Amino acid sequence: MALTIRKARTIVKATLAKGRELELKPLSVVVLDAGGHVIAFEREDGASPGRFDIARGKAYGAIMLGMGGTAQMARAENQAYFMAAMNGLFDGKVVPVPGGVLVRDAKGAVIGAVGVTGDSSENDAAAATAGIEAARLTAEA
């Protein structure tokens, strides 16, 4: 199963709705396909202009390494040399913190990733997870 534009739009809309429900700071959300290509992006009013790159970096790290941002951060804390090497390998595009969430289909296959930024990393991850689940897919934060 591929991650469609329709599902990506559902994820973005539901992620932003969760952010509003939780009264988070203005969020930016990006949805990537399984190859790391952008399917959808939205930046709320008031979000800083650099947020696209941060959101993409969170999602890109998840898709390229096959692990959510929470696992990436733990790996960075335990093996900083590994994450430094990965960031070098991927031209500095990996942001290894919560808010980068893998998207899995019903069979467990990785079909994309979502990156959210704007609030605390943990809140970003919670909003992304809500968006993914609203699209009836499985999140791995």
Side-chain angles (χ1 to χ4, degrees):
M1 163 192 224
L3 187 53
T4 64
I5 186 65
R6 185 174 182 173
K7 290 278 189 185
R9 287 178 178 152
T10 297
I11 291 168
V12 169
K13 182 178 179 182
T15 297
L16 295 176
K18 187 64 170 182
R20 296 297 51 84
E21 175 190 325
L22 297 174
E23 299 181 0
L24 303 183
K25 295 175 185 172
L27 299 179
S28 295
V29 183
V30 69
V31 180
L32 306 182
D33 67 15
H37 304 99
V38 176
I39 300 173
F41 171 74
E42 192 164 328
R43 183 177 63 86
E44 287 187 304
D45 292 342
S48 62
R51 294 295 177 172
F52 170 76
D53 291 321
I54 298 168
R56 184 182 53 177
K58 288 181 176 188
Y60 190 78
I63 202 72
M64 290 298 138
L65 298 174
M67 63 176 79
T70 301
Q72 289 177 61
M73 186 169 77
R75 187 83 183 257
E77 290 170 348
N78 293 323
Q79 294 179 314
Y81 62 88
F82 174 79
M83 288 309 294
M86 292 305 97
N87 229 337
L89 182 67
F90 295 117
D91 299 321
K93 295 178 186 171
V94 175
V95 180
V97 296
V101 183
L102 285 174
V103 180
R104 294 185 181 272
D105 67 13
K107 295 180 180 178
V110 173
I111 59 170
V114 175
V116 177
T117 184
D119 206 90
S120 71
S121 292
E122 292 73 20
N123 285 341
D124 294 344
T129 297
I132 293 164
E133 290 173 353
R136 294 193 166 101
L137 296 165
T138 302
E140 183 180 320

